Amino acid sequence: MEMGSNSTEKFYRIPEGKGPHSVGCTDLMTENAVEGSFLRLYYPSCNATDNEEAPWIPDKEYYQGLSDFLNMYRVVGERLFQYYVGSVTCPAKSNAAFKPGEKYPLLIFSHGLGAFRTIYSAICIEMASQGFIVAAVEHRDESASATYYCKKKSISEPPEESTSSMEKEWIYYRKLKTGEEERCLRHKQVQQRAQECIKALNLILKINSGEEVTNVLHSNFDWNSLKDSVDTSRIAVMGHSFGGATVIESLSKEIRFRCGIALDAWMLPVGDDTYQNSVPQPLLFINSEKFQWADNILKMKKLSSNDANKKMITIKGSVHQSFPDFTFVSGEIIGRFFKLKGEIDPNEAIDISNHASLAFLQKHLSLKKDFNKWDSLVDGVGPNVIPGTNIDLSPAEPK
């Protein structure tokens, strides 16, 4: 291998989808306001040899937001991210033509705290390659490292100097204020996040029904090609960490989500009313070995007590960051230091997670696929997976 500047980029790759479909992706933003939807859509595509791979982190402001989230100086963080991952692309073709001819189930994906819509591409691309349309929402509840909406530029700027009449208004991650109670803020945020997932669902169904939707980002993707392509009876929701809590909140609010998958869910944001009213839909908890703790697991169990359609598995050797893409684009030393990698090979961990997810989705969305070959994983049976949790839940012995 040549030791050029691209050697790291070629060596560290976000894994491609393993399913039968090529994958495209495109960004969609509606309405020129913070209330609109913002999402990255991953979808089965026609073979697009001419289309380039989509950029993984599309704006420098995301580096600044990640720096804030990690308590680094922006100028330092931006340079580091630019150096290490600036040229990383995700293995989906930007604005590739949508592959018509069948109705695909729909998956809404919710990101974790300090994340954003593009950095779970390994999961989203795998799902799209297996025949799902995946809408990865970018949340505007100030839990993303950074996000933006488009607004009209102020009149003061001379029009000939600007290429567009729109400008990006950035929203950065909001840290807890001194003395602020975290649960209160996170519960408020998770309710907004669930509404954003439902809004994304409504938006995709609107496009599916043939309604015109204005994309303020002006891509050359043909949104009309999605007409009549969504299997509207087969819709699920999936998310990581804070996104796992968002899955639970979304299921409790929206019956059109037929099932949910919570990846290493952080349960603090889930409200008491959600436990009281319970969540009727099937739910799969896929946990890492190193992140969970007794109180968090007990909340999951409280939600799933005596329901055979609520499952929990743990991936051995995995860490909380085994689910987002950073685990694939970091070397061993940086990966271990920042806990981006566990003891398990990142590709094996994501395969276990994706295969268990696909088997679970086949069962509860009644898909006619062969994902049931991975059914044993949903029961925690197989290499590097255990049923339930590795956490000791026995009450502490009184001294």
Side-chain angles (χ1 to χ4, degrees):
M1 192 169 83
E2 281 181 36
M3 288 306 293
S5 60
N6 284 344
S7 58
T8 51
E9 172 198 356
K10 293 287 173 279
F11 186 63
Y12 301 121
R13 282 280 289 165
I14 295 164
E16 293 180 16
K18 297 180 173 68
H21 300 279
S22 298
V23 178
C25 73
T26 191
D27 290 322
L28 173 61
M29 187 187 289
T30 63
E31 305 164 32
N32 306 331
V34 72
E35 288 77 32
S37 274
F38 188 16
L39 58 89
R40 175 164 280 197
L41 196 78
Y42 300 86
Y43 52 87
S45 72
C46 303
N47 280 336
T49 44
D50 295 343
N51 296 57
E52 292 191 351
E53 287 193 348
W56 181 49
I57 298 182
D59 298 270
K60 71 173 183 348
E61 284 82 359
Y62 289 106
Y63 300 145
Q64 295 171 359
L66 284 166
S67 303
D68 293 352
F69 181 67
L70 297 168
N71 292 316
M72 295 165 73
Y73 289 115
R74 279 188 176 187
V75 64
V76 176
E78 192 183 325
R79 281 191 178 168
L80 280 173
F81 283 115
Q82 186 64 52
Y83 178 78
Y84 280 109
V85 298
S87 56
V88 172
T89 56
C90 74
K93 295 296 179 75
S94 194
N95 298 317
F98 180 77
K99 186 179 185 180
E102 62 178 289
K103 285 187 183 288
Y104 303 103
L106 174 63
L107 198 51
I108 306 293
F109 191 95
S110 171
H111 65 73
L113 195 68
F116 37 94
R117 74 189 185 286
T118 68
I119 62 174
Y120 293 87
S121 69
I123 294 170
C124 296
I125 287 169
E126 176 60 18
M127 295 295 149
S129 81
Q130 299 286 1
F132 287 81
I133 292 173
V134 185
V137 176
E138 190 155 288
H139 293 297
R140 288 167 166 164
D141 60 337
E142 299 181 298
S143 70
S145 272
T147 185
Y148 65 92
Y149 60 95
C150 290
K151 62 170 195 176
K152 288 195 163 56
K153 280 189 178 164
S154 55
I155 312 298
S156 59
E157 219 172 299
E160 65 274 8
E161 281 181 29
S162 71
T163 50
S164 159
S165 59
M166 307 299 288
E167 63 182 346
K168 293 177 180 179
E169 183 71 24
W170 284 90
I171 304 164
Y172 289 101
Y173 176 74
R174 159 155 130 56
K175 289 188 163 73
L176 275 175
K177 299 186 175 99
T178 312
E180 184 176 18
E181 205 229 331
E182 182 159 32
R183 189 157 184 262
C184 187
L185 170 66
R186 301 307 180 202
H187 181 55
K188 189 163 161 263
Q189 287 176 318
V190 84
Q191 290 173 297
Q192 178 176 333
R193 287 165 142 261
Q195 288 309 320
E196 287 170 338
C197 288
I198 295 163
K199 201 182 287 183
L201 164 60
N202 290 334
L203 176 61
I204 302 301
L205 294 184
K206 198 170 153 183
I207 293 167
N208 181 63
S209 69
E211 276 189 62
E212 280 288 324
V213 167
T214 303
N215 183 9
V216 299
L217 299 177
H218 306 302
S219 68
N220 57 2
F221 180 73
D222 178 13
W223 287 97
N224 295 324
S225 62
L226 260 69
K227 186 176 188 295
D228 296 328
S229 65
V230 178
D231 186 337
T232 56
S233 67
R234 292 183 167 90
I235 298 166
V237 60
M238 185 177 193
H240 172 246
S241 195
F242 203 169
T246 309
V247 164
I248 294 160
E249 199 72 23
S250 301
L251 289 171
S252 74
K253 298 263 192 303
E254 180 51 78
I255 203 68
R256 288 175 297 173
F257 290 125
R258 278 179 55 185
C259 62
I261 299 169
L263 307 171
D264 231 7
W266 178 41
M267 300 297 287
L268 176 83
V270 177
D272 295 335
D273 53 334
T274 307
Y275 294 103
Q276 281 151 15
N277 305 334
S278 80
V279 173
Q281 300 100 313
L283 178 58
L284 173 62
F285 290 103
I286 303 180
N287 293 338
S288 74
E289 187 184 334
K290 307 290 187 203
F291 174 70
Q292 293 297 337
W293 62 100
D295 186 46
N296 208 52
I297 295 282
L298 289 168
K299 286 176 178 171
M300 294 178 192
K301 287 190 170 292
K302 188 174 169 186
L303 202 66
S304 52
S305 55
N306 307 322
D307 181 349
N309 288 327
K310 304 273 197 305
K311 296 277 195 181
M312 185 194 298
I313 61 171
T314 299
I315 301 174
K316 291 201 285 194
S318 61
V319 293
H320 196 51
Q321 296 298 325
S322 293
F323 300 95
D325 295 334
F326 280 105
T327 190
F328 301 108
V329 297
S330 57
E332 278 305 312
I333 297 165
I334 284 182
R336 288 291 175 94
F337 183 75
F338 288 109
K339 296 198 172 74
L340 302 174
K341 289 184 194 291
E343 286 140 25
I344 188 173
D345 178 288
N347 290 283
E348 190 182 348
I350 212 75
D351 281 351
I352 293 169
S353 179
N354 286 336
H355 292 165
S357 299
L358 288 163
F360 186 81
L361 291 165
Q362 168 151 329
K363 181 176 182 182
H364 296 293
L365 298 180
S366 314
L367 303 174
K368 294 176 176 60
K369 302 275 189 178
D370 64 347
F371 307 150
N372 54 340
K373 65 189 172 193
W374 297 308
D375 277 350
S376 63
L377 291 175
V378 180
D379 294 318
V381 176
N384 289 315
V385 63
I386 58 167
T389 183
N390 59 308
I391 302 294
D392 179 9
L393 300 176
S394 56
E397 292 291 317
K399 289 206 166 90

